């Protein structure tokens, strides 16, 4: 995290100058949660310049950048980065984030916010986004309980459960008080950390604010099946401890004691309205009459109107602290909407808040729960169409108006599939009989429906179906006017599906429907010659053990192939058999670079890259590279992958050059292949005073293991010796970062046009497990990815995403781990250096000739000129001006400037 | 395009057949020098030509210069087909050309020059 930039000193003149130019408007945001983040993003998107411009300062008491609380439970199991959006946003000129700055007093008369550190922050516009805090239980012993609200809370629970398991020598028991959404998530988290979890709730069934009794019964059933105990209908009266102060259980109102080693309270949130309450008290004490003041909501929070303005001029409130219609709500969608409204208003817009959208979906594997709209059918005359099967834990209900036509709400437990398509239709006419949407009733799938353009498909980010359609059909503003026709592109461009992710299947469906409509065949066919997808083709070739292009084409193809299917088949064959790529007719399938085992440059010459495993090289080998580059007059440059590239070699020179390199003990770096490139490393614990593990040793081991592995796209790895991450491993397909206890494994990063950070897959692994997981990850990718699909995109588009990858790689959920490892072992055993193999065979060498009828003649179209003491290709203009002095003798020796023999 | 001519009796006959009306036929290499679907560059009267032998033993010749980039690389592209047209894709940026006519097939753009080819007594001859 970079240091937050400092804005102009807070004590600068608070009075706008009388200049004719409009003054900069100082916007201060109090709070650093998702609402604040969204507000700043919305301000930046609308522009901070213009009519004087804005200076936005965010004061947050937390030490982090704003992070995604919705995904908090992910942090229970691993060190995920939950930072919202791009950290770079905070570097936008005009935006300042002050972390560790707790606002303690608001002087709305003088328009100044005071922070605990004595700072004064004058404002023209103030946005209160203080959020809420976890509610505490008013019972004895409550001080011995913990809450589940911030990253620190989650980290503490992780450490505490591990400590208890160690100290007690048995499975710790965790009691979660509160059977709401958060309570169930916390219990599931505790269970996944190895604890036994029980849920205690005063109401008879869990999630009683979202679910009716039937749904509650079904959910109780599902929760029981997950292995939690549910204690409903009785309130807890005390948290009891032994004489050492260690918690032993929860005493219930009916005198039972539920044993527990750790108690987590998740009974809801209270708005953080203390600034506002203090300001109200101050105003009252000062006896100010008639001047506008804040109004505190009936359940706390500061009351806002539909423009998100509070009762005090220049003060707005957004998110969980904002009380609208008598309530504050702890959901991200309304917070986002409010943030957008204030940003719009500050930019002169007229947006208004339409009211809370209370739709809820529980994200817990195996427990599918969704509730939306008028779930309890409180609308007069509302009809409830219900299917209930308590034995299976399934409950589905659709609520409509009395004519059964307009959708008012619904509840789904056990099977929430219809929720996704129904949700955007809230308040609209249903396209079919309500009963048709009760999919569990045996009526088959819910009817396919076309969403109207103005229906909101992604409620977190308020994205309408029409916006997505515009992007697909290139009428939108995304990336110029180009159509955006894949899910990842749509997510990036419209932000739909980027928050809770529950609408992603709908986005996929809408995309496919649009493409079909516009005549684009939604086909996974590789090209006109092969109607299978790469994955299908890979499976077929693997299962039938096909080894030749002709066999494959005769079974699955038509025509002679092309520049798409031929290299794809060549790559699949190479991944499976590790055989020499230019033999047995496979040479004609290879793409440009593989054909010459070198990288073709713009003028038809090649670059040569020997492997330098882990970036470690002896002075002797550096000398060999220098000598070869000098002898053949090659341009040299250090690559991003910690090795040396030599440019300007002619096709026919490649064998001689490689002979010299191989004789000196080097081998092909395969920089030309869609294959493993390099394993970048920092110097690690051997030399570095911060290093925790031998990163160079691990990098070399990995590079030698995976060298030659051909894949759907190039593969890069990085190994860092400590968390400082000098090897930039998280920008690689596989990143390995040392910890005190072993290695953390990150997957799916890349640089390039669409950079992606690798995501944590598993942590604190020993060497053996690390390699086993990488084996499985790479082979699973090689078998199932599309052609030219990098790992980041692959794992994003897989059903189930990263979590699915984790299950396959770590838990072997598909039962294929052994097979994947065996395939990798075969690759490792069969590896041979392609260039050594080429030099050993005169037949193979024959391919490297300039002209079939004049193998000794040089290609005189290649002309190099000098620049910064090295060669570079001549431009067309330079060639023409040089042409006058170059004798046009095709078979003759090259001119002095054309590159040396 | 390949024309399979009747085999001339002797080398002298072969030389005589090199001039055929307005065209000059140049012997380039033997058919056996060419591997099916693997392009080779050749020099014909100082001009760089790309030669392709298909699996059917038909031989095609186009100019070696890539019209899109001016680099002399076409022989190193991938041979394929579009419908029933044999094609060559530029190794640099994958523009696709009809091997018979040199016409660009994947979009608008300059055509490749295509030359007539015949195989006489196992010898590949190009009219250029």
């Amino acid at each position: 995290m970079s240091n937050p930039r400092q804005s102009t000193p807070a004590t600068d003149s608070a009075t706008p100058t009388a200049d004719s130019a409009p003054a900069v408007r100082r916007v201060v945001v109090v709070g650093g949660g998702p609402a604040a983040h969204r507000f700043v993003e919305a301000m930046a998107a609308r522009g901070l310049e213009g009519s004087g411009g804005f200076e936005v300062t965010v004061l947050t008491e937390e030490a982090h950048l704003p992070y995604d609380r919705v995904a908090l439970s992910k942090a229970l199991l691993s060190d995920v980065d939950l930072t919202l959006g791009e950290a770079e946003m905070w570097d936008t000129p005009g935006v300042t984030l002050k972390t560790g700055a707790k606002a303690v007093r608001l002087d709305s008369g003088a328009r100044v916010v005071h922070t605990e550190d004595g700072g004064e922050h004058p404002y023209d516009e103030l946005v209160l986004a203080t959020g809420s805090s976890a509610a505490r239980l008013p019972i004895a012993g409550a001080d011995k309980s913990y809450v589940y609200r911030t990253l620190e809370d989650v980290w503490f629970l992780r450490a505490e459960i591990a400590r208890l398991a160690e100290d007690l020598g048995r499975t710790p028991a965790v009691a979660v008080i509160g059977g709401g959404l958060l309570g169930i998530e916390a219990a599931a988290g505790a269970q996944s950390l190895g604890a036994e979890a029980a849920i205690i709730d005063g109401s008879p069934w869990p999630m009683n604010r979202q679910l009716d009794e039937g749904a509650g019964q079904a959910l109780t059933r599902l929760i029981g099946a997950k292995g939690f105990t549910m204690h409903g209908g009785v309130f807890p009266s005390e948290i009891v401890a032994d004489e050492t102060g260690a918690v032993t259980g929860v005493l219930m109102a009916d005198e039972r004691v539920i044993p527990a080693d750790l108690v987590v309270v998740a009974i809801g949130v209270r708005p953080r309205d203390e600034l506002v309450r203090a300001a109200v008290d101050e105003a009252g004490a000062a006896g100010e009459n008639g001047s506008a003041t804040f109004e505190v909501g009936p359940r706390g929070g500061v009351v806002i109107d539909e423009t998100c303005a509070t009762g005090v001029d220049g003060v707005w409130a957004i998110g969980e602290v904002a009380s609208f219609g008598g309530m504050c709500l702890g959901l991200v969608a309304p917070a986002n909407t409010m943030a957008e409204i204030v940003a719009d208003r500050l930019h002169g817009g007229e947006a208004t808040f339409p009211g809370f959208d209370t739709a809820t979906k529980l994200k817990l594997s195996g427990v599918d729960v969704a509730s939306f709209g008028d779930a309890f059918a409180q609308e007069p005359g509302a009809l409830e169409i219900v299917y209930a099967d308590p034995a299976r834990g399934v409950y589905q209900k659709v609520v409509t108006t009395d004519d059964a036509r307009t959708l008012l709400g619904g509840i789904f437990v056990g099977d929430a599939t219809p929720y996704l398509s129904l949700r955007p239709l809230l308040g609209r006419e249903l396209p079919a009989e309500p009963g048709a949407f009760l999919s569990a009733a045996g009526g088959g799938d819910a009817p396919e429906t076309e969403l109207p353009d103005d229906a909101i498909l992604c409620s977190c980010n308020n994205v309408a179906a029409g916006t997505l359609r515009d992007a697909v059909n290139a009428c939108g503003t995304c990336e110029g006017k180009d159509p955006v026709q894949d899910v990842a592109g749509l997510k990036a461009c419209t932000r739909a599906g980027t928050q809770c992710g529950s609408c992603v299947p709908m986005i996929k469906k809408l995309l496919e429907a649009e493409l079909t409509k516009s005549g684009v065949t939604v086909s996974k066919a590789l090209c006109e010659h092969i109607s299978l997808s790469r994955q299908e083709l890979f499976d077929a070739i693997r299962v039938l053990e096909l080894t030749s292009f002709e066999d494959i084409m005769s079974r699955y193809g038509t025509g002679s192939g092309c520049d798409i299917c031929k290299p794809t088949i060549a790559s699949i064959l190479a991944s499976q058999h590790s055989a020499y790529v230019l033999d047995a007719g496979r040479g004609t399938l290879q793409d440009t670079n593989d054909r010459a085992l070198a990288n073709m440059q713009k003028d038809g010459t090649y670059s040569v890259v020997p492997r330098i495993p882990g970036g470690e090289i002896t002075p002797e080998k550096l000398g060999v590279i220098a000598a070869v580059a000098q002898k053949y007059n090659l341009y040299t440059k250090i690559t991003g992958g910690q090795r040396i590239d030599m440019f300007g070699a002619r096709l026919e020179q490649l064998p001689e050059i490689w002979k010299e390199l191989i004789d000196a003990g080097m081998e092909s770096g395969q920089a030309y292949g869609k294959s493993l490139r390099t394993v970048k490393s920092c110097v690690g614990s051997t030399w570095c005073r911060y290093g925790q593990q031998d990163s160079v040793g691990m990098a070399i081991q990995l590079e030698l293991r995976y060298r030659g592995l051909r894949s759907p796209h190039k593969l890069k790895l990085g190994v860092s010796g400590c968390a400082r991450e000098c090897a930039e491993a998280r920008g690689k397909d596989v990143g390995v970062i040392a910890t005190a206890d072993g290695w953390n494994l990150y997957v799916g990063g890349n640089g390039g046009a669409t950079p992606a950070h690798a995501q944590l897959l598993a942590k604190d692994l020993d060497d053996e497990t690390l390699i086993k997981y990488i084996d499985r990850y790479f082979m699973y990718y090689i078998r199932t990815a599309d052609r030219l699909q990098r790992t980041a995109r692959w794992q994003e588009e897989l059903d189930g995403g990263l979590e699915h990858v984790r299950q396959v790689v770590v838990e072997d959920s598909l039962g294929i781990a052994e097979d994947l490892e065996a395939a990798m072992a075969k690759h490792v055993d069969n590896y041979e250096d392609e260039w050594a193999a080429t030099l050993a065979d005169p037949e193979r060498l024959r391919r490297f000739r300039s002209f079939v009828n004049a193998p000794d003649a040089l290609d005189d179209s290649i002309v190099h000129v000098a620049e910064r003491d090295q060669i570079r290709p001549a431009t067309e203009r330079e060639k023409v001006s040089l042409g006058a002095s170059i004798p046009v003798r095709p078979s003759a020796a090259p001119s002095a400037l054309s590159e040396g023999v | 395009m390949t024309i399979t001519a009747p085999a001339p009796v002797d080398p002298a006959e072969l030389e005589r057949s090199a001039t055929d009306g307005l065209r000059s036929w140049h012997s380039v290499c033997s058919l056996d020098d060419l591997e099916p679907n693997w392009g080779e560059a050749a020099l014909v009267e100082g001009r760089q030509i790309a030669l392709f032998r298909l699996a059917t033993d038909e031989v095609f010749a186009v100019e070696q210069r890539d019209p899109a980039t001016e680099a002399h690389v076409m022989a190193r592209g991938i041979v394929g087909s579009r419908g029933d047209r044999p094609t060559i894709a530029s190794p640099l940026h994958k523009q696709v050309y009809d091997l018979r006519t040199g016409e660009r097939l994947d979009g608008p753009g300059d055509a490749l020059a295509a030359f007539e080819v015949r195989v006489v007594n196992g010898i590949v001859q190009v009219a250029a």
Side-chain angles (χ1 to χ4, degrees):
Chain A
M1 196 186 305
S2 60
N3 273 339
R5 293 173 329 104
Q6 295 300 309
S7 68
T8 46
T11 46
D12 265 6
S13 75
T15 17
T17 51
D19 284 351
S20 55
V24 171
R25 285 161 82 191
R26 293 160 305 177
V27 181
V28 170
V29 183
V30 180
H37 174 265
R38 182 52 173 265
F39 171 73
V40 177
E41 212 174 53
M43 287 294 286
R46 285 172 174 81
L48 297 176
E49 296 90 30
S51 75
F54 295 97
E55 263 177 21
V56 182
T57 305
V58 178
L59 307 174
T60 171
E61 64 183 40
E62 296 199 71
H64 322 278
L65 292 179
Y67 58 88
D68 185 5
R69 262 186 238 285
V70 178
L72 203 57
S73 55
K74 285 185 189 162
L76 265 176
L77 293 177
S78 61
D79 288 330
V80 286
D81 181 3
L82 297 180
T83 305
L84 282 165
E86 298 293 328
E88 290 77 48
M89 187 194 76
W90 298 103
D91 297 329
T92 309
V95 173
T96 306
L97 174 72
K98 292 180 187 251
T99 50
K102 181 177 183 175
V104 290
R105 187 169 160 260
L106 162 60
D107 183 344
S108 58
R111 295 200 168 200
V112 175
V113 177
H114 299 264
T115 47
E116 201 171 38
D117 56 11
E120 294 184 9
H121 304 274
Y123 64 82
D124 300 307
E125 305 286 345
L126 177 67
V127 180
L128 296 172
T130 44
S132 29
S133 56
R136 294 275 177 172
L137 262 185
I139 61 171
D143 56 320
K144 297 186 184 68
S145 66
Y146 300 96
V147 295
Y148 187 82
R149 167 78 189 165
T150 65
L151 263 182
E152 284 80 5
D153 294 339
V154 167
W155 289 336
F156 171 81
L157 289 177
R158 245 167 89 179
E160 188 63 6
I161 288 175
R163 186 191 67 78
L164 284 167
E166 178 106 19
D167 289 0
L168 300 170
R170 61 169 168 79
T171 307
V174 173
V176 177
I177 300 178
L181 204 61
L182 208 58
I184 296 175
E185 273 189 35
Q191 193 189 43
S192 60
L193 288 169
E196 259 171 34
I199 298 172
I200 296 169
D201 198 293
S203 48
W205 62 84
M207 289 182 71
N208 70 316
R209 281 169 62 186
Q210 291 92 12
L211 304 184
D212 60 17
E213 183 167 3
Q217 282 172 356
L219 177 57
T220 306
R221 187 111 188 155
L222 290 180
I223 288 177
K226 290 283 281 183
F228 316 135
T229 324
M230 176 78 205
H231 304 279
V234 186
F235 285 91
S237 55
E238 186 184 346
I239 295 172
V240 286
D242 63 16
E243 60 281 1
T244 68
V247 168
T248 56
V250 180
L251 174 67
M252 304 292 284
D254 60 4
E255 312 256 303
R256 264 183 312 158
V257 174
I258 294 162
D261 307 302
L262 179 68
V263 178
V264 177
V265 175
I267 55 170
V269 291
R270 298 282 174 269
R272 293 277 304 269
D273 53 11
E274 55 271 26
L275 267 187
V276 166
R277 286 180 187 270
V280 171
D281 291 349
E282 241 177 79
E288 286 172 27
N289 293 321
S291 72
T293 184
F294 296 108
E295 188 187 339
V296 174
R299 293 180 194 169
V302 53
V303 173
I304 55 166
D305 64 16
E306 61 183 14
T307 72
C308 297
T310 67
V312 174
D313 194 33
V315 183
W316 314 77
I318 59 177
E320 298 178 349
V321 76
S323 173
F324 185 81
M327 62 178 177
C328 296
L329 210 61
L331 291 174
V332 71
N336 283 342
T337 309
M338 290 176 187
E340 294 281 349
I341 288 167
V342 176
D344 180 68
R345 291 261 162 190
L346 291 182
H347 280 84
E350 300 275 299
T352 54
F353 186 64
F356 287 116
D357 172 354
T358 55
T360 324
K361 188 159 190 322
L362 178 63
K363 288 174 289 294
L364 193 60
S365 79
V367 184
D368 215 3
V369 180
S371 161
F372 68 107
D374 184 12
F376 292 92
Q378 286 161 333
E379 182 85 17
L383 301 179
E384 295 174 87
I385 299 95
V386 181
Y387 171 82
D389 182 348
R392 278 202 298 148
V394 173
Y395 181 88
Q396 297 184 320
K397 176 168 94 172
V398 173
V399 180
T400 66
T401 47
D402 58 0
D403 57 0
R405 297 176 75 126
T406 305
L407 178 67
L408 295 178
I411 299 179
F412 292 87
V413 176
D415 175 4
T417 326
Y419 164 78
L420 289 175
S421 37
L422 279 176
R423 168 79 233 274
L425 294 173
L426 188 61
R428 295 168 191 274
E429 193 157 313
L430 282 168
E433 292 295 310
F437 292 92
L438 304 180
S439 58
D445 291 338
E448 290 295 321
T449 54
E450 170 102 326
L451 288 178
D453 274 347
D454 59 342
I456 300 301
L457 194 139
C458 166
S459 55
C460 292
N461 286 317
N462 202 30
V463 182
T467 308
L468 285 158
R469 290 201 178 100
D470 283 352
V472 174
N473 298 318
C475 330
T477 52
C478 301
E479 296 171 24
K481 294 262 179 189
D482 283 348
V484 182
Q485 302 193 330
D486 58 61
V487 172
L490 285 174
K491 282 165 77 176
C493 134
T494 63
R495 313 173 53 140
T498 55
Q499 205 124 15
C500 78
S502 68
C503 62
V504 173
M506 291 295 290
I507 300 176
K508 264 188 192 164
K509 222 155 102 183
L510 180 138
L511 172 64
E512 277 170 21
E514 280 312 293
L515 291 179
T516 311
K517 247 191 277 171
S518 60
V520 178
T521 328
V522 187
S523 153
K524 294 214 137 189
L526 216 45
C527 62
E528 74 169 73
H529 308 102
I530 301 267
S531 58
L532 304 182
S533 70
R534 181 187 174 279
Q535 181 182 351
E536 290 164 336
L537 188 63
F538 194 106
D539 287 344
I541 293 174
R542 184 165 62 90
V543 171
L544 300 175
E545 299 181 354
L546 304 178
T547 54
S548 84
F549 179 70
E550 288 69 27
D551 271 5
I552 294 164
M553 289 305 276
S554 71
R555 281 170 192 263
Y556 302 109
T558 56
S560 325
C562 65
D563 56 299
I564 292 170
C565 58
K566 281 183 160 183
T568 303
I569 289 174
S571 162
I572 293 174
L573 290 173
S575 297
Q576 293 195 6
H577 306 293
S578 316
Y580 181 76
V581 293
L582 300 185
D583 274 358
R586 288 189 296 270
T588 64
L589 310 179
Q590 304 298 341
D591 214 338
T592 311
N593 293 346
D594 279 309
R595 173 186 161 115
L597 305 176
N599 297 50
M600 184 186 279
Q601 304 300 326
K602 61 192 286 185
D603 62 348
T605 64
Y606 291 89
S607 78
V608 171
V609 187
R611 183 168 303 289
I612 301 180
E616 181 185 87
I617 186 164
T618 61
E620 288 71 25
K621 282 189 178 161
L622 279 175
V624 171
I625 292 175
V628 167
Q630 254 170 345
K631 177 169 173 184
Y632 294 93
N633 192 21
L634 305 176
Y635 168 81
T636 52
K637 185 170 190 314
I638 311 284
T639 72
Q642 299 187 330
R643 47 193 191 175
I644 299 170
D645 207 341
M646 294 175 267
F647 292 79
R650 297 161 173 278
L651 178 67
E652 65 276 14
Q653 287 179 316
L654 293 172
E656 305 170 49
I657 291 174
W658 273 109
K659 180 158 187 343
E660 300 205 15
L661 292 169
I662 285 168
D663 285 348
M666 312 201 76
E667 65 172 356
S668 170
Q670 277 194 333
Y672 43 81
K674 298 282 179 252
S675 59
L676 176 88
R677 294 289 176 82
T678 67
V679 184
K680 184 174 178 177
S681 70
C682 68
V683 77
S685 60
T686 320
W687 288 90
C688 177
R689 65 183 197 277
Y690 301 111
Q692 290 186 298
Q693 306 283 348
D694 175 12
S695 50
V696 179
M698 178 52 76
I700 293 174
Q701 191 183 344
L702 293 175
E703 185 155 347
L704 297 183
R705 182 171 183 80
Y706 302 117
R707 63 185 169 183
L709 180 65
R710 282 191 151 74
S711 46
H713 209 300
K714 62 186 171 189
L715 289 175
K716 296 181 176 183
L717 288 80
V719 183
S720 276
C722 79
R724 285 172 184 75
E725 240 286 69
C726 297
E728 296 167 330
R730 290 195 61 199
K732 308 295 181 202
D733 298 282
V734 165
V736 176
I737 301 177
T739 68
D741 303 320
W743 306 99
N744 282 354
L745 171 59
Y746 294 82
V747 293
N750 60 250
T754 332
H757 261 140
Q759 305 292 312
L760 186 77
L761 191 72
K763 55 186 299 193
D764 294 329
L765 305 174
D766 57 25
D767 290 11
E768 197 187 332
T769 313
L770 173 72
I771 288 170
K772 193 165 76 179
Y773 286 178
I774 302 176
D775 279 3
R776 294 175 182 178
Y777 178 77
F778 275 159
M779 267 302 160
Y780 190 48
Y781 163 66
I782 287 170
R783 286 191 178 177
T784 58
D786 267 342
R787 103 180 227 284
L788 298 187
Q789 189 178 39
R790 291 203 70 169
T791 52
R793 183 60 66 88
W794 166 71
Q795 68 192 33
E796 182 172 351
E797 305 241 321
L798 269 182
D799 274 346
L802 181 67
E803 178 54 24
H804 167 76
V805 174
R806 204 188 57 74
Q807 285 167 0
V808 172
V809 170
V810 178
E811 293 166 15
D812 190 17
S813 59
L814 297 181
I816 57 171
E818 208 176 310
D819 188 30
L820 297 174
E821 285 173 43
M824 189 62 84
K826 186 173 158 200
H827 158 77
V828 175
D829 289 345
N830 291 345
Y831 169 79
E832 68 170 344
D833 174 18
E834 282 165 350
W835 267 108
T838 305
L839 295 175
D841 184 343
E843 263 306 295
R844 292 170 177 175
L845 281 176
R846 202 179 60 138
R847 298 177 182 279
F848 298 88
R849 57 188 169 196
S850 54
F851 298 104
V852 63
N853 59 342
D856 297 325
L858 294 176
D859 173 358
D860 64 349
S861 71
I862 298 171
V863 182
H864 290 153
V865 296
E867 186 173 85
R868 293 187 296 276
D869 300 331
Q870 298 206 66
I871 58 157
R872 70 157 167 83
T875 61
E876 284 310 308
R877 178 180 287 233
E878 285 166 339
K879 280 190 194 175
V880 170
S881 68
L882 289 167
S885 61
I886 297 176
V888 186
R889 282 187 298 132
S891 309
S895 78
L897 270 169
S898 111
E899 166 262 324
V901 191
Chain B
M1 179 154 332
T2 320
I3 301 163
T4 307
V9 181
D10 59 1
E13 179 69 18
L14 190 61
E15 275 314 301
R16 271 197 299 283
S17 73
T19 311
D20 166 8
L22 291 173
R23 287 171 305 195
S24 271
W25 287 100
H26 303 280
S27 299
V28 179
C29 60
S30 88
L31 185 63
D32 292 343
D33 288 332
L34 302 177
E35 182 188 338
N37 291 321
W38 178 275
E40 291 273 4
L43 277 176
V44 178
E45 292 294 289
R47 184 165 194 179
Q48 291 195 26
I49 304 281
L51 283 179
F52 302 93
R53 172 185 176 180
L54 302 196
T56 55
D57 283 349
E58 282 177 291
V59 180
F60 295 96
V62 294
E63 64 180 321
Q64 168 74 336
R65 183 179 150 279
D66 174 0
T69 63
E70 317 244 338
H72 288 56
V73 293
M74 290 307 295
R76 294 175 243 165
I78 289 179
V79 175
S81 68
R82 280 211 171 190
D84 54 6
R85 307 210 252 190
T87 59
I88 179 67
S90 163
L92 282 167
H93 295 139
K94 305 288 159 70
Q95 294 88 353
V96 178
Y97 301 91
D98 188 329
L99 269 179
R100 294 173 306 190
T101 61
E103 183 194 350
R104 169 107 182 250
L105 298 181
D106 64 322
D110 292 344
L112 272 175
F115 306 96
E116 278 193 67
V117 181
R118 66 182 184 184
V119 178
V120 182
N121 206 18
I123 301 294
V124 176
Q125 295 188 323
V126 174

